[in-house]
Structures are given as structure tokens and as C-alpha cells.
């Protein structure tokens, strides 16, 4: 343990602070009111815009309401309705499939790019900017662009390019088998840049001596990456992994804008279902069911995150 | 891959769900309160103005029209709102009380709004209008409750038509003045177009509930229905729908004449058609306006025919919009709103001077004039109207003659009455299944959809 923390440990306790009985008077004397005055705007904003809607959502999940007529308390009916919806298993399966594909393709690519870029001696800034560029493009614009690429007729952009090497034409978004991988491809392209930046920042902190020592031992580039870079980035990689899982479990943008859940529900995800419950019907949605499914998803993700951190604690600490 | 975008997207969706809960908390109760009217007889109403993203010229024209109206009705102030009916925002606006005093909703939403008392009964005001007795009864029915009360003015009435590309017809060796009149001919023509030009001969919508809209239209042409008349029983697995889907399936997998694009919506299909990537498609008769304004369609290449009708109880699907008045309007506002709707939407259909002025303005702005409409009133009134605007017509009406000459003899059928948009959403999946799965069992697919639809109708 370093001397700094040692010093902190030895610092004597504040005189009598722990023993004095806390009463409203002592709270005021200790500057409680000032603290409250400073915190109040934040508390009010959070309470109104964050906590209150959460509580409302919980209440709404127990009600039948279209926000027009008076809500009726229905107990767990909304949960029952959602759980027996024949579309739910499909949506869960599709979401898991998206998450899996995104993990297989989307997770290693940014790491690979970051390692490559960190090895560059010149123009690193330029490459970083290029890698980050897709993140800057508004998602809706990116999707519109990719819809042109994915045109399934023989004169679509991708089909034309693949046609030069006598491949295709492929149906891309227009077939239940290729629709989801097509969404993942665009999503990976669109989001990889942000993760590359995180990895690049983390790579700077890897001590150069480790690489020097590996060089002395005659390690190849691949061995250096595997035995030096990856272990050093472990903490960051675990965080990006859980963030990605949480993110992909809530995938909405791509299926909504590209395929609207089709073809034949091949890209209907859990979030798209929530959206359709709430806004699919112009005469007033089933907000209770939407709130119920949102809650279930939130609880699942919270439990999953807890489990993830518990299981990986020893690995990330070492 | 980072989760930023995904988190943002999902957060917005959840925030949306949560935001409507806030709206609900804040929304005030509706009231048609006479006491709120000012004593001096002056009244202000907010009205549906222009669509978001309209050009400045459109906005200026609208404001000028509003000023003209106010000149004739000095006690009424018009407050135009940038607004457009959207299925996905309407419910929240209705709940939050942010709708204009008067707004337009599709016929399909009328029944629900009337049942829940969310739009005003304006029978008294409408019956006082000079043309009240001249309404086309089937059109008027769309704005009426079962007991005959009137809840708005019917506008933008359309019938479905067969839109076709004359250039592709010529290239395929077909007569561009003779669009198909039976489903067999349609299939044969589509195949000819694909075989000769490589372009899809016939395309159908399949996304955003439009697949259901198109499939219902196809079903009507063969005498089938998607729901019983009272909207209580789903009849999706009827013989007509089966026949139409089997034809579509054969066109997709045997003839290869409907293209591989399985996810087209209203805008997407218009775009494909205007780009010459579709020989034929079925959509509202007024879609030519959008094809010009948004897709720059080549006028020479455009043709409009009738949807092919079979025998029996066959008919053409039609629809339109209700110019309705918010349930929150005061009596004076309701009077003013109906006056405005009469002046802005209706008067030009029945009064020569109003018709001419409107057509002249549109023509000067290079907007389409003369696109076929269905009669809101009787056929004679529509004929007079077409005569009044003739000098200003700038659309290829000769190429639309097959439609205009025959539409009056086709039976006009309204859309399914109960849970229409939700049933359409189910039917989207049916169309997508047939277009993407070579081995799809039509009977089984329809039985499944019917069970799901019945669950909705039984709610």
C-alpha cells in the first residue's frame, strides 16, 4: 500500500463528531440548510423529470389507461397480457440474436481498430477522426443512407458492387434471414467509433516498459496484444461489454427505421414492442402494457448487470 | 460497439412512454363551456395549417387565405398551426390537449373518436350549410354516428386506383391506354413487364400498416371482407383474401414479377414508381399529387386505371378525412370552426368563384390541379366542379380517363370499422410472409392472423 493511503488511515478522527447526537438543530447549525438550498434545484429537477415518471410508469403498469378516459386499476393484468402475447418470444429471440451478432462482430472490431491505430506513428489523429465520423452522422441520416446501400434490386449499391465479383443480388433487408445481420452491420459501423476512442484512451495508459520487456523476450505482435494489451485493458473491456449488452438489449432505432419489425416479424425487438403497445394505435395506445414490458426489461437488465459484476469482479480486480 | 446510440434510442422511447404519463397527469378535463366565450362575440380558433417542412410559399399562401377569411368574418381570428395527422402522435396530442380547435383525421379513426366523445357533434352547424342535403350518402356516413348525428365535414375523399407506368407498358409491348381489368390480366401484364424490362411488373405495400390497407383493397375487389359489418367478428381467412394472396405468391415465386422488395410503405412505393421501378401498383386515386410534389414523376409516363373488380359483392375501397372539431371547443369556437372548414375545404367544391380562385392559386404555384377526386356531393356537382377548374388543369387527365370514366360505376366500400390500424398491422405481416417465404402456407398464415385479429375485436 502506498504511503499516501497509509497517511490517510492514520489521520485522527474528528473530535467528538461521531458522538454528538444529531438533531434538527445540529443539522441546521452544521449548514444543512445551505446544503439543501444548493441541492434543491437538482432534487426538484430529478424528482419531476426522472423519479416521478418512473413512479408513474410503475403505477401505469397496474392500470388500464389510454390517457383519455379515466385509468382503471387492473392489478397484474398488463403483465399477464404481455407475457402471453404470442409476439413476445419472437421479440426476445430477435433481441438476443441482435445482441449476439453485435457481440460477435461489433465487440472485437473496435478493439482491433484501436490496437492498429495506437501502433500508427503518423496521421493517428486523422484515422481517429475517420473512425469517429460515423458517430457524428445523425442516426436517421445514416439509416437513410444505408437503405440505399441495401436496395435489394440488382442495381442497389451493395448488389452492384458485389455484382462485379459475380455475387448476389442479395435481398438484405427484404428477407427474414438476412434482415437482422444487415441491421447489425449498420449498427456496428455507426457505433464502433465511440468505443475505439475509449480503447485508444485506455491504451495510452499501458506502460511502455511492458512492451519493451516483451520485445526483449522476442514476442510477436500478436503475442504482445494477447499477453500485454488485452490484460491491461481488462477493466475497460468489461465495462464496454456490459454497456454493449445493455445497449443491444434495448435496440430500437435500426429495426424501427429500417424494417419496422419486418419482414414477417424477423426484426421485431422488445423495445419495438413497447413502442407499438404505446404508440401503434392512433386512437390511444395500450400504455399499461407498454409500461409493464418496460419495467420487466428494466428489472431484467438490472439483475443481469448485478450478476455480471459479481461474476467478473475477481477478474477485473486482479 | 458502443451502446451510446442504442441507449439514446431506447431512452427516447422510454422517455416517450414516460412523457405521455406526464401529459396524462397534467391534462385537464374536456368541456364544451359556453361561459368561456367572450361577451363581445369575438372568437379565436386554432386550425390545421400546413404540414411540417412545407415551403415558405405554401405557408404564405395559407396565411393569405386565413386573412381573406377573416376579412369576410371579422369576428373570427384564425390561428394556423403547423400540424399533420400522424398515427403515432395523435393519441398523445389528444390526451395532452394540444390539438388545434379543428383538425383532420382519417375516416378510420372517426368511429373511435365519436364513441369516446372526443370530437364535437356539429350536426346543427353542418345542417345549416347550403349543400347539406347534397352529400354523397356513403361519404356522409363516414362522419356520422350510428344514430345519424354529424361529427365533421368529409374532405379529401379518394377511391383506390391502379397506377401504372406507361413507358414500361410500351416497353413490354402492352397498350398503355388499356390497363388490366381483371386479376388474370394484371398478372399476365406484370409478367410481361418483368420479362421484357427486368423491372417489377406489380408492387404492393407491406410496411407501416399500408400492407393491410392494400391487402384489404385487394380482398374487396374479389368480394371478401376483413371484418363483419358490426366490427365484432374477424373474417380475414375468407376465400377472396386467400385467392389474392395465392396470386401474389405465384407472382412472386413463379413469375418473379413483383420484385424482391418486401418492405415498401406509402412513401417508398411512390418513390419506386416515380423512379420507373414499378410497372403497376394500387393506391389512393389522389396519389398523383404526392408523386408530383415529392417524387417529380414524369407526367407522360403516368397512367391511372380502375382496380380490377371481380363479381359478387366486390367493390373499391375508399376513404378520406374528417374535418373535426375538438371536444374542448366552446360553442362559439365550434361555430367558427365549421365556418372555416366550410370556407377552406368545402365551398370550393360547390361554388364556382371559390373553385376558380383556388385552382388559379394552385396553378400559379405549379401545384397539381385536376387530379381525380371522388364525389363528396353528387356526381353532377363534381362534374360542374371539373368544368370550373378546367382552364387551370395541369395534370395529364387523358391518361387518367380509364379511372374517371369508370369510377362512378364501381361500388364504394369503407375500410374495416373496428381496430382498423391494428388489423392492418397484422395484415402487413401476412403480406410480408407471402413475399419472403416461398413455402408459406396461405391458409395457415391467414388462420393465425384471423385468431389474432379476433382477439383485438373481442377486447
Amino acid at each position: 500500500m502506498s504511503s499516501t493511503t497509509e497517511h490517510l488511515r492514520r489521520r485522527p478522527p474528528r473530535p467528538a463528531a461521531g458522538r454528538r447526537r444529531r438533531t434538527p438543530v445540529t443539522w441546521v447549525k452544521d449548514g444543512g440548510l445551505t446544503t439543501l438550498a444548493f441541492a434543491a434545484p437538482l432534487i426538484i429537477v430529478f424528482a419531476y423529470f426522472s423519479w416521478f415518471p418512473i413512479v408513474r410508469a410503475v403505477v401505469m403498469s397496474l392500470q388500464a389507461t389510454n390517457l383519455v378516459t379515466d385509468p382503471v386499476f387492473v392489478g397484474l393484468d398488463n403483465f399477464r397480457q404481455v407475457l402471453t402475447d404470442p409476439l413476445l418470444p419472437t421479440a426476445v429471440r430477435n433481441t438476443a440474436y441482435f445482441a449476439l451478432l453485435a457481440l460477435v462482430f461489433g465487440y472485437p472490431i473496435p478493439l482491433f481498430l484501436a490496437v492498429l491505430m495506437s501502433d500508427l506513428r503518423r496521421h493517428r489523429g486523422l484515422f481517429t477522426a475517420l473512425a469517429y465520423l460515423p458517430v457524428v452522422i445523425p442516426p436517421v441520416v445514416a439509416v437513410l443512407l444505408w437503405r440505399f446501400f441495401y436496395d435489394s434490386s440488382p442495381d442497389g449499391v451493395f448488389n452492384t458492387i458485389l455484382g462485379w465479383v459475380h455475387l448476389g443480388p442479395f435481398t438484405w433487408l427484404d428477407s427474414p434471414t438476412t434482415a437482422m445481420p444487415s441491421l447489425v452491420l449498420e449498427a456496428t459501423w455507426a457505433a464502433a467509433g465511440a468505443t475505439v476512442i475509449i480503447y485508444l484512451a485506455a491504451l495510452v495508459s499501458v506502460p511502455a516498459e511492458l512492451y519493451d520487456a516483451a520485445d526483449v523476450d522476442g514476442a510477436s505482435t500478436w503475442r504482445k496484444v494477447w499477453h500485454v494489451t488485452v490484460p491491461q485493458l481488462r477493466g475497460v473491456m468489461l465495462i464496454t461489454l456490459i454497456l454493449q449488452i445493455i445497449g443491444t438489449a434495448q435496440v430500437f432505432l435500426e429495426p424501427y427505421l429500417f424494417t419496422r419489425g419486418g419482414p414477417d416479424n424477423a426484426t421485431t425487438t422488445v423495445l419495438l414492442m413497447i413502442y407499438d403497445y404505446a404508440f401503434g394505435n392512433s386512437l390511444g395506445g395500450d400504455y399499461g402494457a407498454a409500461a409493464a414490458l418496460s419495467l420487466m426489461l428494466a428489472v431484467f437488465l438490472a439483475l443481469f448487470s448485478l450478476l455480471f459484476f459479481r461474476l467478473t469482479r475477481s477478474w477485473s480486480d486482479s | 460497439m458502443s451502446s451510446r446510440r442504442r441507449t439514446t434510442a431506447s431512452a427516447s422511447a422510454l422517455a416517450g412512454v414516460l412523457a405521455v404519463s406526464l401529459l396524462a397527469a397534467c391534462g385537464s378535463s374536456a368541456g364544451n363551456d359556453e361561459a368561456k366565450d367572450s361577451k363581445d362575440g369575438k372568437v379565436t380558433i386554432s386550425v390545421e395549417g400546413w404540414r411540417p417542412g412545407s415551403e415558405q410559399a405554401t405557408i404564405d399562401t395559407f396565411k393569405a387565405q386565413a386573412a381573406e377569411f377573416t376579412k369576410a368574418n371579422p369576428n373570427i381570428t384564425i390561428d394556423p398551426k403547423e400540424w399533420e395527422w400522424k398515427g403515432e402522435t395523435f393519441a398523445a396530442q389528444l390526451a395532452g390537449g394540444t390539438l388545434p380547435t379543428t383538425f383532420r383525421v382519417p375516416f378510420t379513426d372517426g368511429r373511435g373518436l365519436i364513441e369516446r366523445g372526443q370530437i364535437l357533434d356539429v350536426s346543427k352547424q353542418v345542417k345549416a350549410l347550403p349543400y347539406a342535403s347534397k352529400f354523397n350518402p356513403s361519404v356522409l356516413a363516414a362522419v356520422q354516428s350510428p344514430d345519424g348525428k354529424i361529427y365533421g365535414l368529409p374532405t379529401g375523399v379518394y377511391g383506390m386506383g391502379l397506377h401504372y407506368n406507361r413507358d414500361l407498358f410500351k416497353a413490354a409491348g402492352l397498350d398503355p391506354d388499356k390497363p388490366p381489368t381483371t386479376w388474370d390480366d394484371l398478372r399476365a401484364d406484370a409478367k410481361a413487364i418483368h420479362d421484357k424490362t427486368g423491372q417489377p411488373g406489380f408492387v404492393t405495400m407491406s410496411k407501416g400498416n399500408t400492407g393491410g390497407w392494400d391487402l384489404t383493397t385487394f380482398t374487396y375487389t374479389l368480394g371478401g371482407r376483413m371484418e363483419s359489418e358490426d366490427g365484432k367478428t374477424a373474417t380475414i381467412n375468407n376465400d377472396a383474401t386467400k385467392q389474392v394472396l395465392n396470386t401474389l405468391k405465384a407472382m412472386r415465386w413463379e413469375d418473379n414479377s413483383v420484385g424482391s422488395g418486401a418492405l415498401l410503405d406509402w412513401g417508398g412505393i411512390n418513390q419506386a414508381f416515380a423512379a420507373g421501378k414499378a410497372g403497376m401498383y394500387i393506391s389512393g386515386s389522389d396519389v398523383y399529387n404526392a408523386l408530383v410534389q415529392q417524387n417529380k414523376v414524369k407526367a407522360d409516363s403516368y397512367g391511372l386505371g380502375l382496380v380490377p373488380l371481380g363479381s359478387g359483392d366486390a367493390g373499391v375501397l375508399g376513404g378520406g378525412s374528417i374535418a373535426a372539431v375538438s371536444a374542448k371547443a366552446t360553442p362559439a369556437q365550434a361555430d367558427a370552426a365549421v365556418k372555416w372548414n366550410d370556407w377552406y375545404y368545402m365551398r370550393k367544391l360547390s361554388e364556382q368563384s371559390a373553385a376558380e380562385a383556388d385552382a388559379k392559386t394552385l396553378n400559379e404555384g405549379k401545384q397539381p390541379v385536376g387530379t381525380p377526386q371522388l364525389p363528396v356531393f353528387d356526381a353532377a356537382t363534381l362534374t360542374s366542379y371539373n368544368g370550373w377548374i378546367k382552364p387551370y388543369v395541369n395534370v395529364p387527365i387523358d391518361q387518367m380517363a380509364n379511372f374517371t370514366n369508370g369510377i362512378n360505376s364501381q361500388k364504394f366500400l369503407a375500410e374495416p370499422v373496428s381496430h382498423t390500424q391494428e388489423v392492418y398491422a397484422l395484415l402487413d405481416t401476412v403480406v410480408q410472409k407471402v413475399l419472403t417465404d416461398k413455402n408459406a402456407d396461405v391458409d395457415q398464415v391467414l388462420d393465425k392472423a384471423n385468431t389474432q385479429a379476433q382477439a383485438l375485436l373481442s377486447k
Side-chain angles (χ1 to χ4, degrees), chain B residues 22-101:
Chain B
L22 272 177
L23 280 179
C26 307
S28 57
S29 63
N32 184 223
D33 191 355
E34 208 159 336
K36 284 182 194 160
D37 283 329
S38 69
K39 299 280 180 290
D40 57 5
K42 288 201 182 302
V43 60
T44 300
I45 54 166
S46 52
V47 303
E48 176 187 342
W50 48 88
R51 290 179 179 203
S54 291
E55 288 180 11
Q56 192 56 42
T58 314
I59 298 171
D60 292 344
T61 313
F62 189 91
K63 285 184 176 166
Q65 286 172 304
E68 209 177 310
F69 173 81
T70 309
K71 214 159 76 186
N73 300 277
N75 283 335
I76 302 172
T77 308
I78 299 293
D79 172 21
K81 300 279 180 210
E82 182 175 87
W83 192 79
E84 179 184 11
W85 180 88
K86 277 207 174 122
E88 290 164 356
T89 49
F90 183 76
Q93 292 177 325
L94 188 65
T98 56
L99 290 169
T101 314

Side-chain angles (χ1 to χ4, degrees), chain B residues 119-357:
Chain B
I119 52 177
L120 273 192
D121 172 4
V122 287
S123 309
K124 186 180 66 149
Q125 292 92 330
V126 172
K127 279 179 183 158
L129 294 170
Y131 43 78
S133 58
K134 284 164 63 181
F135 277 112
N136 179 340
S138 60
V139 171
L140 188 65
V143 300
Q144 279 177 310
S145 58
D147 59 2
K149 285 184 187 150
I150 301 171
Y151 284 81
L153 287 166
T155 67
V157 180
Y158 68 85
M160 296 298 259
L162 178 73
H163 310 266
Y164 63 99
N165 184 318
R166 294 170 61 89
D167 291 347
L168 288 178
F169 261 60
K170 281 181 223 163
L174 302 167
D175 184 348
D177 292 325
K178 286 191 178 141
T181 52
T182 66
W183 275 95
D184 286 344
D185 288 348
L186 186 144
R187 183 180 169 185
D189 289 358
K191 188 171 185 317
I193 290 170
H194 175 259
D195 291 350
K196 297 270 172 56
T197 69
Q199 297 297 347
F202 177 77
V203 286
T204 175
M205 300 176 214
S206 54
K207 202 172 74 168
N209 302 358
T210 58
W213 184 49
D214 250 358
L215 184 61
T216 304
T217 305
F218 303 166
T219 299
Y220 283 5
T221 67
L222 295 179
R225 299 289 185 274
M226 293 306 188
E227 291 176 3
S228 61
E229 229 164 84
D230 59 3
K232 287 186 178 152
T233 315
T235 55
I236 288 172
N237 51 357
N238 65 76
D239 290 341
T241 311
K242 279 179 193 168
Q243 196 182 331
V244 139
L245 280 177
N246 279 316
T247 307
L248 211 54
K249 190 178 160 194
M251 289 169 80
R252 169 72 179 92
W253 300 105
E254 291 170 27
D255 303 352
N256 198 19
S257 62
V258 293
S260 53
L263 290 171
L264 288 168
D265 57 12
W266 187 83
I269 210 163
N270 290 348
Q271 200 177 11
F273 178 79
K277 290 182 173 180
M280 298 175 270
Y281 76 112
I282 288 176
S283 187
S285 52
D286 56 353
V287 85
Y288 184 75
N289 293 344
L291 287 171
V292 171
Q293 290 165 331
Q294 290 173 318
N295 309 109
K296 297 191 166 53
V297 73
K298 224 172 82 196
D300 292 345
S301 70
Y302 178 82
L304 175 61
L306 295 165
V307 289
L309 287 198
S311 54
D313 204 11
V316 59
L317 180 142
S321 301
I322 306 171
V325 181
S326 163
K328 295 186 175 194
T330 62
Q333 282 181 323
D335 289 346
V338 174
K339 224 173 219 174
W340 163 259
N341 289 333
D342 161 47
W343 187 86
Y344 189 72
Y345 298 111
M346 310 302 293
R347 204 48 81 96
K348 62 189 174 196
L349 297 176
S350 60
E351 244 180 56
Q352 185 167 1
S353 55
E356 285 173 352

Side-chain angles (χ1 to χ4, degrees), chain A residues 101-263:
Chain A
L101 284 177
L103 213 57
V104 172
F105 298 108
Y107 188 65
I109 288 174
L111 183 61
F112 178 73
L113 285 176
V115 170
L116 268 187
M117 278 193 232
S118 69
D119 262 359
L120 289 174
R121 295 192 197 289
R122 297 171 61 194
H123 306 308
R124 191 193 294 181
L126 175 72
F127 284 104
T128 314
L130 282 178
Y132 196 69
L133 202 57
V135 183
V136 183
I137 298 177
V140 176
V141 176
V143 167
L144 279 175
L145 200 69
W146 278 71
R147 261 162 71 167
F148 279 107
F149 297 169
Y150 281 144
D151 186 347
S152 61
S153 65
D155 47 0
V157 177
F158 281 166
N159 280 343
T160 307
I161 295 170
L162 291 171
W164 295 337
V165 287
H166 302 288
L167 285 174
F170 294 101
T171 44
W172 304 110
L173 299 167
D174 290 320
S175 150
T177 42
T178 52
M180 196 59 105
S182 303
L183 299 192
V184 173
L185 187 64
E186 189 276 342
T188 305
W189 168 85
T195 323
V196 168
I197 300 288
I198 296 174
Y199 284 138
L200 272 179
L203 279 170
V204 175
S205 66
V206 179
E209 306 91 73
L210 294 177
Y211 290 109
D212 294 341
D215 275 334
V216 171
D217 291 342
S220 63
T221 309
W222 166 245
R223 290 190 79 87
K224 275 191 280 183
V225 169
W226 187 248
H227 290 291
V228 178
T229 314
V230 171
Q232 288 291 320
L233 292 187
R234 217 154 36 189
V236 175
M237 284 170 68
L238 282 176
I239 294 291
T240 53
L241 180 66
I242 186 68
L243 282 180
Q244 176 170 331
I245 293 173
I246 293 176
T248 48
Q250 298 180 40
V251 60
F252 173 74
L253 187 103
E254 282 82 8
Y256 178 73
L257 290 176
F258 271 119
T259 55
R260 206 59 183 76

Side-chain angles (χ1 to χ4, degrees), chain A residues 268-282:
Chain A
T268 299
T269 60
V270 173
L271 229 71
L272 198 58
M273 259 186 93
I274 295 175
Y275 178 85
D276 278 341
Y277 278 137
F279 302 110
N281 182 356
S282 56

Side-chain angles (χ1 to χ4, degrees), chain A residues 5 18 33 52 79 84 99 102 119 152-153 164 176 223 247 284 288 293 299-300:
Chain A
T5 50
L33 280 179
F52 172 67
F79 291 89
T84 52
D119 262 359
S152 61
S153 65
W164 295 337
R223 290 190 79 87
L293 186 50
V299 169
F300 168 79

